[in-house]
Amino acid sequence: DTAVSQTPKYLVTQMGNDKSIKCEQNLGHDTMYWYKQDSKKFLKIMFSYNNKELIINETVPNRFSPKSPDKAHLNLHINSLELGDSAVYFCASSQEGRRRDSPLHFGNGTRLTVT
Amino acid sequence: QKEVEQNSGPLSVPEGAIASLNCTYSDRGSQSFFWYRQYSGKSPELIMFIYSNGDKEDGRFTAQLNKASQYVSLLIRDSQPSDSATYLCAVKSNFGNEKLTFGTGTRLTIIP
């Protein structure tokens, strides 16, 4: 199946731990993103990569570090997890992200709970 | 002022009626506008996008754009219970910027 897939689907961890979320897309897209959706359903962009190059880096604590080994993969590593990091993290991709008619295709999300 | 604003709802519409969802945006340089539907516990899925002033129809859905008023709407005709979801408006700023900015979403409930 062609899709954006991210793992794990659920992640429960304690404060202070370090965790990673992985994302892969087989749609042949050149741009990938991480979005965070809070408890009020607000989707906010965190990072964007185009062909492994960081394009967008919003005001995100430097505890969050994205890594893109190739244009089909974008991982998110989070250090020293805090309670406020609890949210659903969505990976997304788009073909030629700069084009005005280029929509996002979302993965199924990773629900992170920090206790 | 938020970049993209939507009424959070909930908006309740009887089955078979027209549901009207509205969105305003602050950046006059915005070029394209997307509507996503998100069921509870699921990921957002694209319904349609529009970048020219006027109406764009796709099945039961019609997107309307008025750039002068910085307003975009989504109409759902013949509403079905399966249309009950949160609808997210998203705006892409301009050419050369991959960033898609989302509104907070409107929760729509179709009453059988």
Side-chain angles (χ1 to χ4, degrees):
Chain A
D1 286 345
T2 54
V4 181
S5 58
Q6 55 183 109
T7 55
K9 188 173 173 68
Y10 299 98
L11 190 50
V12 181
T13 188
Q14 292 184 326
M15 283 174 56
N17 285 347
D18 303 338
K19 290 293 178 186
S20 293
I21 307 172
K22 295 187 176 183
C23 180
E24 175 183 3
Q25 56 94 4
N26 61 5
L27 297 166
H29 291 168
D30 61 1
T31 307
M32 296 185 72
Y33 310 77
W34 279 111
Y35 276 81
K36 178 182 179 181
Q37 188 169 46
D38 61 24
S39 57
K40 295 184 179 178
K41 303 296 184 188
F42 181 53
L43 259 176
K44 184 169 172 58
I45 191 167
M46 300 173 70
F47 303 102
S48 169
Y49 272 75
N50 180 275
N51 278 325
K52 301 191 297 177
E53 181 186 352
L54 181 65
I55 299 296
I56 295 172
N57 184 349
E58 292 289 290
T59 308
V60 177
N62 57 15
R63 298 182 295 104
F64 291 78
S65 53
K67 281 193 173 47
S68 181
D70 55 61
K71 75 173 190 176
H73 295 84
L74 179 61
N75 304 322
L76 182 66
H77 188 76
I78 316 170
N79 289 327
S80 304
L81 278 154
E82 301 177 357
L83 292 177
D85 298 332
S86 296
V88 180
Y89 292 83
F90 284 102
C91 177
S93 70
S94 67
Q95 178 61 20
E96 295 184 60
R98 286 182 291 275
R99 286 179 49 166
R100 63 179 179 177
D101 60 350
S102 178
L104 296 182
H105 298 260
F106 285 90
N108 288 329
T110 296
R111 183 174 293 276
L112 171 64
T113 303
V114 182
T115 61
Chain B
Q1 182 187 9
K2 291 180 184 173
E3 293 180 68
V4 181
E5 293 210 47
Q6 297 180 254
N7 188 326
S8 61
L11 175 66
S12 296
V13 173
E15 184 176 355
I18 296 175
S20 177
L21 303 157
N22 304 317
C23 174
T24 57
Y25 58 95
S26 60
D27 182 359
R28 282 200 170 273
S30 299
Q31 293 290 331
S32 49
F33 309 85
F34 301 79
W35 283 101
Y36 283 82
R37 176 177 61 200
Q38 186 175 23
Y39 293 113
S40 181
K42 301 294 185 182
S43 58
E45 53 181 335
L46 180 70
I47 298 174
M48 61 192 306
F49 63 87
I50 186 169
Y51 47 77
S52 299
N53 272 329
D55 294 1
K56 179 181 179 182
E57 188 175 316
D58 184 0
R60 295 187 297 112
F61 299 96
T62 298
Q64 299 176 316
L65 175 61
N66 183 328
K67 289 187 178 179
S69 300
Q70 295 174 240
Y71 177 93
V72 58
S73 64
L74 179 71
L75 302 178
I76 308 174
R77 288 184 300 282
D78 188 23
S79 298
Q80 304 296 310
S82 59
D83 295 326
S84 297
T86 296
Y87 288 79
L88 302 167
C89 172
V91 175
K92 185 172 282 192
S93 295
N94 52 38
F95 293 107
N97 184 339
E98 293 87 352
K99 179 177 160 180
L100 203 60
T101 301
F102 284 81
T104 50
T106 298
R107 189 155 56 91
L108 174 67
T109 300
I110 305 301
I111 305 167

